[in-house]
Amino acid sequence: MSAPSDGRTHGKRGGRPRLYVLDGLRLLAALAVVFWHYAGYQQHPQMWGGNSTKLVPELSSWAAYGWSGVELFFLISGFVICMSAWGRTVGEFFVSRVVRLFPAYWVCLLITSAIVLTARPTWMWNIDKFHYSDVLTNLTMMQNGVGGAMDIDPVYWTLWIELRFYIMFAVLVALGALTYRRVVMFCAVWTLGAVATAASGWAVLDLVFDPEYAPLFIAGIAMYLIHRFGSDLLLWSIVGFNWLLAQHRMLQIMSGYRNDAGHPLSFSVGLLIVTACFLVMIAAALGRLDWIRGRWIVTAGALTYPLYLLHEEIGWYLISKLHRHLNPYVLVFSLVGAMLLASWLVHRLVERPLSKVLKRRLTAALERARRIDAAERDRLWATAAATAGEPGADQRHGGSQ
């Protein structure tokens, strides 16, 4: 069996090693999305002259399904967020998410923004109305929720979905320490809420329950419970029920990607991919992939987030400028290599040092808030005791003088 990715131990059998396989799966998911954008996506005529299926046919045939890396991301996220929140207070959970999400995001956003503002690529949505205010709004990571703001990079749409999941789970953590029963109930309520939302079509419910991608997060949470506590019929039912919902949602999801790919996509292939994502995560939860290990996998996994954030707009711009001058296969693989190097530099030179500073400052701020609240409670007790004519604040503890 395996341990949380933050290195803490848990479970009825004592300490467990890190789940290295999750780091590897994250990188594979990110690379799938990268190849989708570089070789499978057909909507921008400036890229490859709108002709990647002829220029890189061996790549484009399978890269057309690379968007499914997002499905794997969300499964992993459900697993990892439940794992990282276990045994933590809501403040600790908040700090862990901010430190994980924002440092790399800020630097990748600013790099991408500098290129977009300079090049102003014509394929960007509403580029004529693009304003530096959009950059400032994007720093919040909530641009999809405020209305009228655009994503500086289209891949940021997934961050809005992740944020809503984090907020829902933070509410659960705030209600009290996570327990098996409470998390199972959370999964059940979210599943029913997602189904009800899909049936009602109410926008406010969609914002909360997100029926399109909820099955992936919920299944990931249940897989973590299997990993931590062992399996039973209830947990397998949650996983199986949400697989059924996920495969149904693939019909709608694939219709959008079919337009982006510029040619028909096979639902059978899409179903096979999402099923494979479920199966590999089940294997990880059951400990069948514990043999996959190595520090290099941790390093590779650390590249995932910066790679995801950096690759799309910058990569499209470079392809539009270079595809007439380089062999298309050389260009694609060189660009992927360059993006991996840039991701390592962001992780090593920015994300790691900034995360340490941010974690230290946020932890200190939360501790200061606790001290202020404790002092305020003591002041109110003392005031109440004085008003009641009691000898002192110690009376509230049953003491005497």
Side-chain angles (χ1 to χ4, degrees):
M1 303 296 287
S2 306
S5 61
D6 57 8
R8 293 176 296 146
T9 59
H10 67 276
K12 57 189 178 183
R13 297 183 182 178
R16 300 172 180 177
R18 179 188 180 101
L19 270 173
Y20 288 94
V21 66
L22 296 184
D23 295 298
L25 289 174
R26 277 193 288 252
L27 183 61
L28 287 177
L31 287 172
V33 175
V34 171
F35 279 105
W36 153 246
H37 287 135
Y38 289 176
Y41 195 86
Q42 302 290 329
Q43 287 300 299
H44 302 321
Q46 296 91 336
M47 287 179 55
W48 308 113
N51 200 22
S52 69
T53 55
K54 294 183 179 178
L55 291 174
V56 284
E58 290 81 2
L59 277 179
S60 63
S61 60
W62 61 265
Y65 295 91
W67 48 266
S68 59
V70 172
E71 320 299 305
L72 181 55
F73 271 135
F74 289 157
L75 272 172
I76 296 171
S77 186
F79 189 107
V80 170
I81 296 308
C82 187
M83 177 168 61
S84 64
W86 211 279
R88 281 181 165 151
T89 65
V90 67
E92 292 169 337
F93 178 68
F94 166 77
V95 171
S96 72
R97 290 304 91 201
V98 170
V99 168
R100 178 70 183 90
L101 287 180
F102 280 96
Y105 173 73
W106 285 330
V107 68
C108 293
L109 167 65
L110 294 176
I111 293 171
T112 302
S113 298
I115 292 174
V116 168
L117 283 168
T118 301
R120 303 189 77 83
T122 56
W123 60 72
M124 282 194 67
W125 170 81
N126 220 7
I127 188 62
D128 292 336
K129 296 183 179 179
F130 180 71
H131 195 272
Y132 69 84
S133 174
D134 290 307
V135 179
L136 299 177
T137 306
N138 272 244
L139 288 171
T140 68
M141 205 182 286
M142 294 188 178
Q143 59 274 8
N144 284 286
V146 300
M150 63 182 292
D151 286 320
I152 301 304
D153 193 303
V155 298
Y156 296 170
W157 70 270
T158 61
L159 301 179
W160 176 235
I161 293 175
E162 289 273 359
L163 275 177
R164 285 148 56 193
F165 168 49
Y166 295 164
I167 292 170
M168 286 181 64
F169 214 79
V171 171
L172 178 66
V173 175
L175 293 175
L178 296 183
T179 64
Y180 175 84
R181 292 180 63 186
R182 290 182 65 232
V183 176
V184 167
M185 183 60 67
F186 175 81
C187 291
V189 170
W190 192 5
T191 300
L192 292 175
V195 172
T197 300
S200 69
W202 290 0
V204 65
L205 291 180
D206 186 84
L207 182 67
V208 175
F209 292 110
D210 189 17
E212 191 166 30
Y213 292 105
L216 301 170
F217 290 110
I218 298 167
I221 293 170
M223 291 173 191
Y224 174 68
L225 294 179
I226 290 173
H227 168 70
R228 185 180 180 97
F229 298 106
S231 62
D232 58 32
L233 181 59
L234 178 60
L235 295 180
W236 285 124
S237 297
I238 294 173
V239 173
F241 190 83
N242 280 281
W243 173 83
L244 292 171
L245 294 178
Q247 66 82 29
H248 174 71
R249 301 301 295 180
M250 286 291 288
L251 289 169
Q252 178 179 340
I253 292 170
M254 288 186 68
S255 66
Y257 287 117
R258 186 179 297 114
N259 294 330
D260 293 335
H263 59 80
L265 297 176
S266 168
F267 175 75
S268 296
V269 173
L271 177 60
L272 179 63
I273 291 172
V274 75
T275 302
C277 292
F278 269 71
L279 291 177
V280 73
M281 286 299 297
I282 289 171
L286 294 174
R288 300 294 187 265
L289 301 177
D290 285 355
W291 56 271
I292 299 176
R293 58 184 62 241
R295 294 303 303 174
W296 68 270
I297 301 179
V298 179
T299 302
L303 304 182
T304 299
Y305 189 44
L307 174 64
Y308 185 78
L309 295 172
L310 280 174
H311 79 274
E312 185 171 335
E313 284 295 342
I314 297 174
W316 282 349
Y317 177 70
L318 292 174
I319 289 173
S320 71
K321 295 298 182 182
L322 299 175
H323 76 271
R324 293 184 178 87
H325 308 289
L326 291 175
N327 176 280
Y329 289 98
V330 171
L331 176 55
V332 168
F333 285 101
S334 297
L335 192 54
V336 171
M339 287 297 171
L340 286 168
L341 175 59
S343 301
W344 182 83
L345 291 173
V346 168
H347 169 68
R348 187 68 181 85
L349 301 180
V350 179
E351 185 178 25
R352 282 177 57 178
L354 184 55
S355 294
K356 291 178 181 178
V357 173
L358 192 59
K359 182 177 182 179
R360 185 169 62 249
R361 296 293 180 86
L362 284 175
T363 301
L366 290 176
E367 181 57 36
R368 178 174 178 269
R370 283 190 285 269
R371 291 197 304 269
I372 290 173
D373 284 349
E376 185 68 9
R377 283 195 300 270
D378 288 344
R379 186 188 67 80
L380 292 174
W381 273 110
T383 301
T387 301
E390 295 178 4
D394 285 343
Q395 291 285 343
R396 69 180 183 270
H397 300 300
S400 61
Q401 296 188 358

